[in-house]
Amino acid sequence: QGFSHVEHILQKLGINAPLWLTQNNGSLLSLEEAIHFPIKTIGAGPTNSFMGAAYLCGIQEAIVVDMGGTSTDIGIIEGGYARSSLQAASIGGIPLHFAMPDMISLALGGGSLVQIKDNHQFIVGPQSVARQLQNLSRVFGGNKLTLTDVGVAAGYLQVEGASLENLGLNRDHAQGIVKNVCQNIYQAILRLRGNKHHFPVILVGGGASLLHSLFQDFGLKGWIPVEASVANAY
């Protein structure tokens, strides 16, 4: 039913082209194949972002960090494709008999809830406002403090019409929270990359601009492409 809806949308838009889907390893599936083997697409989201980031930068090898609304996915591109995990993957304890991307996923995203404790202590995530960011986040008039709010207070994100007074954070405190988030991501990068120290780091996703500290404070080399927010679609 979902695929029929997509086909109907393509017809309404006047797009007369075959419909392809990406699978876990970055290669393509026809609509018919996807209907019969939908499990093959379950890891395609991060794979799309990893490969899209590499193509945007015109390189074949990279560490890619994709920060979205609810999570940050970190993977490796080798030969233009996302590296597959050498370990048997499982979902809900059920072993999978096909390749999944080798990645680390952290519960850190633009919608992650931030709790401020006494003495400037804080907790980021794992809860998130997810799709309700534009309704619940303080920069949009809500009452939930999110990592997006922190990014605005820190001066790393721009949101038109945002009032800094509503955020309840000064710039230094906000920048400290962002640096802590980057510290967690940096440690995950070190675990994943192994001896591939020469691989550059590409930051993509809607939260990419929050992660400048990875370059400034942690010594990583790489880029944030101009089209970072659409790497997955690209």
Side-chain angles (χ1 to χ4, degrees), residues 7-82:
E7 289 182 308
H8 178 66
I9 291 174
L10 292 178
Q11 292 174 0
K12 287 183 63 176
L13 293 173
I15 299 175
N16 184 23
L19 175 62
W20 295 89
L21 290 88
T22 49
Q23 59 178 323
N24 304 326
N25 62 7
S27 61
L28 297 178
L29 282 174
S30 69
L31 178 59
E32 290 73 23
E33 289 176 297
I35 290 173
H36 286 96
F37 301 102
I39 192 69
K40 290 186 176 182
T41 69
I42 199 166
T47 298
N48 285 346
S49 293
F50 300 155
M51 293 180 62
Y55 278 109
L56 284 173
C57 294
I59 59 177
Q60 297 286 303
E61 297 179 331
I63 308 292
V64 180
V65 179
D66 175 27
M67 176 176 272
T70 59
S71 67
T72 296
D73 298 326
I74 306 163
I76 295 182
I77 290 292
E78 292 181 306
Y81 283 86

Side-chain angles (χ1 to χ4, degrees), residues 6 9 14 16 26 41 46 48 50 68-69 88 93 129 138 145 155 162 165 175 183 185 203 225 229:
V6 172
I9 291 174
N16 184 23
T41 69
N48 285 346
F50 300 155
V129 298
R138 291 185 185 177
L145 183 64
E165 289 76 15
Q175 289 182 351
Q183 172 73 41
I185 294 173
L203 308 180
S229 62

Side-chain angles (χ1 to χ4, degrees), residues 4 18 28 49 59 82 86 101-102 119 126 138 142 156 159 161 164 170 191 193 206:
S4 298
L28 297 178
S49 293
I59 59 177
L86 297 178
D102 187 13
N119 300 320
R138 291 185 185 177
Y156 300 143
V159 174
L164 297 183
N170 61 47
R191 293 199 307 270
R193 77 177 183 183

